[in-house]
Amino acid sequence: MIVRALKKPFELKVFEALESRITFSSKELKYCHNLKQGYQGEQRFEQILKKDLDDHLLVLSDLRFEIGTTTFQIDSIILSGTTLYFFDVKNFPGDYQYLDKRLYKLPGKEVSNPLLQLKRNETLMPQVLLELHIDLPMECFDVFINPEFTLYQAPLNQHFIFPTQVRKFIDNMNHKPPVTSQQHKLAQHLITRDIGDYPYPRIPTFAYKELKKGLRCVNCNDISININGRNCFCSKCEHEESVADALLRNIKELCLLFPDQKITTNLVYEWCGKGYSKKSIKRFLERYFKSVGNHKWVYYV
């Protein structure tokens, strides 16, 4: 049973809202790619758990805790009646080699060893339980979720779960003792302890006047939507959706990028590329938002 579902990270939301509106640097492109890849991996693992894990176990996704001045993130937690299991999910594609306690992406590029982060979390997580006055055994694992991942010279007796082992691991989990009222309370305590997104997000610097205006496609992220009656079509990928859905999504992205900006008919008209009439936008805002003020001073929240 999933009691805390995965949420898209704030950083990724910002990068996606800016995609096609500004030109990212090579460093920003790489960081955006890593954010997407990581989120997609966590999504895949949560979907597998939702489908195959029995409801007598509890699942909590994407929690960030603070111990003193130190913060750490847990991608996924499974609670059984006797043990807390936590997982770091890795969505690495391609061929890798484990050599001398180091991880290399073949043919020879060294990458961060996931065991180091796992061991760090293995040290910090008991402190969270201690502060909650909970004494519960723990087990931790790195889950390599990408089906195209291969690790050569994989170490024995390490807490690695490879793509071909995920289903079997979950089958074994389904035989674990069911949660009790104590574990249900612990799950709620852990959710309460979550501090949310990373407090210092790495997002590009941007200004409203520098951003390309228009309706961004939800499928390909390109600003290439054409409106035809109540529906709109992407000229790049041919994705179709209702005008209402496209407007609402792009207005939410405007609010995300500029939270202090008052939402007005003129602002939305410009932000959406002036392809939809001001009269229609005004009707849309009055339907889906609450108006504040009167006449030319009106804005929407």
Side-chain angles (χ1 to χ4, degrees):
M1 177 190 302
I2 295 180
V3 294
R4 156 78 182 219
L6 178 67
K7 295 181 180 179
K8 185 175 291 188
F10 171 77
E11 287 179 318
L12 181 54
K13 288 181 181 179
V14 171
F15 268 97
E16 288 182 344
L18 290 173
E19 213 163 8
S20 298
R21 297 192 186 275
I22 60 173
T23 301
F24 293 145
S25 68
S26 58
K27 187 175 181 180
E28 289 166 346
L29 279 172
K30 182 179 179 181
Y31 188 65
C32 179
H33 170 76
N34 290 341
L35 286 174
K36 286 183 178 181
Q37 183 172 283
Y39 178 66
Q40 289 166 359
E42 291 178 50
Q43 268 188 317
R44 184 178 298 157
F45 186 56
E46 185 182 76
Q47 288 166 359
I48 293 172
L49 294 179
K50 185 176 182 179
K51 179 177 179 291
D52 296 332
L53 192 72
D54 287 352
D55 283 344
H56 72 268
L57 304 173
L58 303 181
V59 177
L60 296 86
S61 297
D62 189 26
L63 292 164
R64 186 181 298 277
F65 301 114
E66 185 174 43
I67 294 294
T69 58
T70 301
T71 66
F72 67 104
Q73 179 184 354
I74 301 291
D75 292 336
S76 187
I77 291 174
I78 297 178
L79 285 169
S80 76
T82 57
T83 308
L84 182 152
Y85 304 86
F86 69 84
F87 308 84
D88 283 336
V89 181
K90 304 302 179 186
N91 190 22
F92 298 162
D95 296 333
Y96 289 75
Q97 180 183 26
Y98 198 87
L99 184 64
D100 296 330
K101 297 183 179 181
R102 295 185 176 186
L103 186 66
Y104 297 88
K105 183 172 185 180
L106 297 179
K109 179 183 178 183
E110 184 174 1
V111 297
S112 177
N113 186 345
L115 275 178
L116 297 180
Q117 179 182 341
L118 190 68
K119 290 183 181 299
R120 178 177 182 270
N121 290 351
E122 189 179 18
T123 300
L124 293 169
M125 192 64 200
Q127 298 180 50
V128 174
L129 297 184
L130 182 63
E131 291 185 358
L132 294 173
H133 307 289
I134 298 293
D135 183 16
L136 192 65
M138 291 189 315
E139 293 186 29
C140 58
F141 301 89
D142 273 316
V143 182
F144 296 92
I145 199 67
N146 196 306
E148 297 180 359
F149 173 83
T150 301
L151 181 61
Y152 295 97
Q153 296 176 254
L156 298 176
N157 302 320
Q158 296 288 0
H159 290 184
F160 286 169
I161 302 173
F162 299 110
T164 56
Q165 298 173 319
V166 173
R167 301 288 180 180
K168 182 179 179 181
F169 180 85
I170 293 175
D171 286 342
N172 291 335
M173 290 294 298
N174 287 333
H175 292 90
K176 302 297 182 183
V179 292
T180 65
S181 59
Q182 181 186 20
Q183 277 80 49
H184 277 280
K185 290 179 181 178
L186 172 58
Q188 294 306 314
H189 285 314
L190 291 174
I191 292 171
T192 302
R193 283 291 300 262
D194 174 55
I195 63 172
D197 286 302
Y198 184 65
Y200 307 106
R202 293 171 55 185
I203 57 177
T205 301
F206 59 91
Y208 178 82
K209 64 180 181 180
E210 299 171 350
L211 302 185
K212 184 179 179 181
K213 310 304 188 292
L215 290 171
R216 189 178 69 83
C217 176
V218 67
N219 186 54
C220 70
N221 293 327
D222 198 64
I223 299 178
S224 50
I225 288 181
N226 299 313
I227 295 175
N228 184 6
R230 294 185 177 182
N231 291 326
C232 52
F233 307 84
C234 178
S235 60
K236 182 177 181 180
C237 71
E238 299 183 349
H239 178 76
E240 178 181 353
E241 66 179 325
S242 69
V243 172
D245 287 345
L247 279 174
L248 190 59
R249 186 183 69 258
N250 280 269
I251 292 171
K252 285 182 177 179
E253 290 180 351
L254 173 62
C255 295
L256 172 72
L257 297 175
F258 304 97
D260 298 326
Q261 182 72 51
K262 290 183 178 180
I263 301 302
T264 65
T265 300
N266 287 336
L267 180 65
V268 173
Y269 174 69
E270 182 181 40
W271 178 252
C272 294
K274 302 180 180 180
Y276 204 48
S277 71
K278 289 185 181 180
K279 185 177 180 180
S280 296
I281 288 175
K282 186 175 186 297
R283 285 200 303 266
F284 177 85
L285 290 171
E286 289 174 346
R287 180 178 180 182
Y288 290 96
F289 295 81
K290 179 182 178 181
S291 63
V292 179
N294 296 297
H295 305 299
K296 67 178 182 179
W297 306 111
V298 69
Y299 62 96
Y300 300 87
V301 295

